Amino acid sequence: MNQVHHIATRLLDFPMEIILDILSHLDVHDLVRARRVCSDIRQAIDSSSELLYSMDLEYFNAIPVPSIPGSDHSIPTLRKSLLQSESAWQKAEYSKRNPIAIPHPPSMHQWSCGVLGFPVESLQQIMFFQPQLADGHSNTINLRQWSCQLDSAAALRLVHYNFSVAEDLVTLVFRAPSGESHAYDVIFRSLSEDKVHHEAAFPSVKALDNEVDLELLDPYTLRSSIFGDYYGVLFRNVNKANGEVADCLQIWNWKSKDTFQCLEVFDPACKTMNFSFLTNERILVVNARELLLYSLVHAPNALQLTAKFSLPALHSPFEYACISFSPIPSHACAHNQMIALSMDISGGSLTKNPCFTSYVERNTLLKLESTYVSCYGKATEDSPDLPWSSWGPDHTRSFEESSFDPCKHSVIGFRTASLVGNQNSKRPLCIRDFNPHRVVDFKAGNGTKRNQRLVEGGEILPNSSLFLEPLGSGLPYLETTTEEKFLSTDMTMEVNRVTLLSFEVMNTIGMPNAGEHSFVKHELLQGFEVLDFE
């Protein structure tokens, strides 16, 4: 103890500027420990907005909000905004902006960082819409609108698209023209400038250029994902020229002049359903039995299987009909992130397919990779899975939800948001916070408890009897539910905002022709409803 105080005393002999510069080289965990050395060092740390802000970002697992031109970017202001936003989420307090209508009814739409995109066939373009505040002192929002133009010939061949605001990227998948030896052309365009992306190594690449029966391709089975420099597409039920069927995952580094790409072929009997980038180096693939973790760096131009995790087993004759992931934003790659694994179940005498969503931390899956290797060695196609009982119950949290409900499991960091209740009526917004620091402080009596409840242990789910194994209940969380209810067909979540795709049915009396009865005309109006947690 005397030695510790001696070191602290020598440190405090320096001017405060030098002390703070030394402390700035510590990571957040060391800063927390340094505050416990003595009151003088604690006061030095607490006097620095920069050090406190870095500690707050780590505590809340927060992703810094992008700077707005003309706004105050100072550290004290950013820290104040972060603390205000976190308090608003905890209390379910938000500023509600006036709804704004969408000029075209969205179909086949997608979200990215609060931007809504969807193709408009009649206009031969993909439209993008982003609600923005008119100013900081009113409830009015403006609708920023732009498009990606398609020529008439290309529009007819478009089968899939995706986009990323973080990468300023739009990917377009076209069926290759007749007579080509490959199945698809993938185009990389700028989201903001409607031209070839300036960082793309090549304006387009070929997909499935090996022996594929081009006449039997089903474009509606495509799944794609953008993560930083990588773009991947899962082609399901690909018919080969030799009569075999396979699922193919093709990945490109779209910025690389070396045209890095890899193609992984899966046995269709495994029913590969989806994939997601966990990091720039790891990819998660899910089939009807298991989760497969792959590395992008262990082998050149190939995926290397590194771990296998089983899903909870089902009673016969039930089976997983569809499994999907919540997308992980690439700008959040330096932060831990909850992953929502949504599993639809079919079979037997079920009249309605139940859906179960299991949340797991991304870092947990990455740590379980080493657990797998220590148990089974190097992963191969024939090696066993890490049983669900060894990882699932203690590292996941499961919920039963409605299938085909887009207003569920929006995820940012440790926080999730869903509309809960009957889809055909107005529903409250349920906010769940899986942040372990927040849970510990809540149990210790720190922080607000207004409108919040702590959920620990297992909960009985209506259709949990479909499973042979217990579902996950190992992740405690804090839950807040809004008093206000919303009518929405879809939603997305950002760092401090929830955007709802709301709708309203307008009834108008139609004017009949002579001798005819009047009639009521029903019109569905869709628009954005914005909730700011600031």
Side-chain angles (χ1 to χ4, degrees):
M1 181 63 71
N2 291 334
Q3 183 180 9
V4 171
H5 281 295
H6 177 62
I7 295 173
T9 302
R10 291 178 60 188
L11 174 64
L12 293 171
D13 289 340
F14 290 104
M16 183 59 67
E17 294 81 6
I18 296 178
I19 294 173
L20 292 178
D21 183 66
I22 293 172
L23 292 172
S24 68
H25 291 277
L26 300 179
D27 64 26
V28 170
H29 300 286
D30 288 334
L31 280 174
V32 173
R33 286 192 286 268
R35 289 184 78 255
R36 301 171 184 165
V37 171
C38 68
S39 60
D40 291 329
I41 291 182
R42 182 171 64 251
Q43 290 175 8
I45 293 174
D46 292 350
S47 70
S48 169
S49 297
E50 289 80 3
L51 296 180
L52 291 176
Y53 184 52
S54 66
M55 294 169 66
D56 288 337
L57 288 174
E58 179 71 20
Y59 175 85
F60 293 115
N61 190 51
I63 303 170
V65 179
S67 299
I68 300 174
S71 62
D72 185 355
H73 302 160
S74 66
I75 295 298
T77 300
L78 292 175
R79 181 170 184 250
K80 180 181 178 180
S81 298
L82 171 63
L83 296 177
Q84 288 177 340
S85 177
E86 287 296 327
S87 176
W89 281 111
Q90 294 166 24
K91 299 175 182 178
E93 294 179 346
Y94 51 86
S95 301
K96 186 176 179 182
R97 310 299 177 178
N98 296 327
I100 186 168
I102 301 175
H104 301 278
S107 176
M108 298 175 58
H109 64 270
Q110 297 190 50
W111 296 95
S112 175
C113 298
V115 175
L116 178 73
F118 56 88
V120 181
E121 186 175 349
S122 60
L123 300 179
Q124 297 179 0
Q125 58 185 306
I126 298 176
M127 302 289 297
F128 300 99
F129 297 91
Q130 182 180 31
Q132 297 179 322
L133 294 183
D135 58 65
H137 305 286
S138 73
N139 289 329
T140 303
I141 56 176
N142 294 329
L143 193 61
R144 181 189 173 209
Q145 175 180 332
W146 71 104
S147 65
C148 174
Q149 298 291 332
L150 308 172
D151 62 57
S152 57
L156 295 175
R157 295 189 289 111
L158 180 68
V159 296
H160 184 78
Y161 77 100
N162 203 342
F163 68 100
S164 168
V165 173
E167 301 302 326
D168 186 36
L169 178 66
V170 179
T171 59
L172 305 171
V173 181
F174 296 96
R175 187 184 291 274
S178 178
E180 296 290 341
S181 59
H182 60 285
Y184 298 107
D185 291 305
V186 181
I187 311 295
F188 302 109
R189 302 187 69 168
S190 167
L191 176 62
S192 60
E193 298 181 308
D194 192 21
K195 62 182 182 180
V196 173
H197 198 291
H198 70 281
E199 290 187 280
F202 298 93
S204 66
V205 293
K206 299 176 181 179
L208 292 186
D209 54 357
N210 51 359
E211 298 177 358
V212 173
D213 191 332
L214 304 180
E215 299 298 325
L216 297 177
L217 282 176
D218 183 0
Y220 298 104
T221 60
L222 272 62
R223 303 286 187 272
S224 71
S225 180
I226 302 170
F227 195 92
D229 296 353
Y230 292 100
Y231 172 66
V233 184
L234 175 63
F235 303 92
R236 300 172 60 198
N237 301 322
V238 174
N239 292 271
K240 295 185 176 182
N242 61 6
E244 296 180 355
V245 179
D247 299 321
C248 302
L249 175 60
Q250 195 160 5
I251 296 171
W252 296 267
N253 184 328
W254 59 278
K255 296 181 181 180
S256 173
K257 288 291 185 181
D258 297 329
T259 63
F260 169 88
Q261 65 171 298
C262 56
L263 179 66
E264 187 73 17
V265 180
F266 304 101
D267 184 351
C270 296
K271 298 182 179 179
T272 303
M273 297 183 181
N274 221 317
F275 79 103
S276 175
F277 291 96
L278 295 187
T279 68
N280 284 321
E281 300 177 353
R282 292 292 186 273
I283 296 175
L284 193 63
V285 177
V286 63
N287 60 39
R289 300 193 302 254
E290 62 205 348
L291 296 172
L292 306 172
L293 191 60
Y294 287 89
S295 170
L296 274 169
V297 298
H298 287 173
N301 293 342
L303 295 179
Q304 177 66 50
L305 181 64
T306 61
K308 304 164 69 176
F309 314 108
S310 69
L311 298 174
L314 293 164
H315 283 284
S316 178
F318 305 108
E319 62 181 5
Y320 292 111
C322 179
I323 303 177
S324 60
F325 297 110
S326 58
I328 297 177
S330 59
H331 62 276
C333 60
H335 298 74
N336 202 355
Q337 173 86 13
M338 300 304 296
I339 299 172
L341 185 66
S342 185
M343 304 171 288
D344 289 359
I345 298 174
S346 64
S349 58
L350 293 173
T351 56
K352 186 177 181 181
N353 291 357
C355 176
F356 292 84
T357 296
S358 291
Y359 290 100
V360 60
E361 293 182 25
R362 171 174 58 184
N363 287 0
T364 295
L365 290 175
L366 298 175
K367 291 176 182 176
L368 285 171
E369 180 181 11
S370 60
T371 301
Y372 182 91
V373 173
S374 65
C375 290
Y376 306 111
K378 184 178 179 180
T380 66
E381 291 185 4
D382 299 324
S383 60
D385 294 345
L386 187 67
W388 169 263
S389 59
S390 298
W391 75 276
D394 293 335
H395 296 291
T396 67
R397 167 66 69 167
S398 299
F399 301 88
E400 185 169 350
E401 301 173 309
S402 174
S403 295
F404 311 112
D405 183 2
C407 297
K408 61 185 180 185
H409 60 67
S410 292
V411 182
I412 285 290
F414 282 134
R415 184 175 290 119
T416 74
S418 305
L419 294 183
V420 293
N422 189 339
Q423 290 178 247
N424 298 320
S425 60
K426 289 189 174 183
R427 300 182 287 171
L429 180 69
C430 179
I431 303 163
R432 299 184 178 108
D433 192 344
F434 289 90
N435 188 330
H437 304 303
R438 288 269 301 111
V439 169
V440 170
D441 277 355
F442 187 91
K443 293 170 70 173
N446 302 325
T448 179
K449 292 193 175 183
R450 177 184 172 187
N451 297 334
Q452 286 192 302
R453 72 181 184 110
L454 172 65
V455 181
E456 293 183 291
E459 294 181 295
I460 299 177
L461 304 179
N463 287 292
S464 58
S465 60
L466 299 177
F467 294 90
L468 287 167
E469 303 174 278
L471 295 176
S473 59
L475 296 180
Y477 62 94
L478 300 176
E479 183 177 272
T480 312
T481 304
T482 62
E483 295 182 2
E484 187 176 6
K485 297 181 180 181
F486 308 92
L487 197 60
S488 177
T489 58
D490 203 351
M491 63 178 286
T492 188
M493 181 182 182
E494 299 168 77
V495 174
N496 54 12
R497 172 180 290 184
V498 170
T499 303
L500 301 168
L501 188 58
S502 60
F503 69 92
E504 181 180 1
V505 178
M506 297 292 294
N507 298 324
T508 57
I509 299 178
M511 300 301 294
N513 297 321
E516 296 180 353
H517 296 287
S518 61
F519 60 92
V520 177
K521 181 181 178 181
H522 304 284
E523 185 178 5
L524 182 64
L525 301 179
Q526 289 192 282
F528 291 110
E529 193 166 5
V530 178
L531 312 179
D532 281 324
F533 292 80
E534 296 179 330

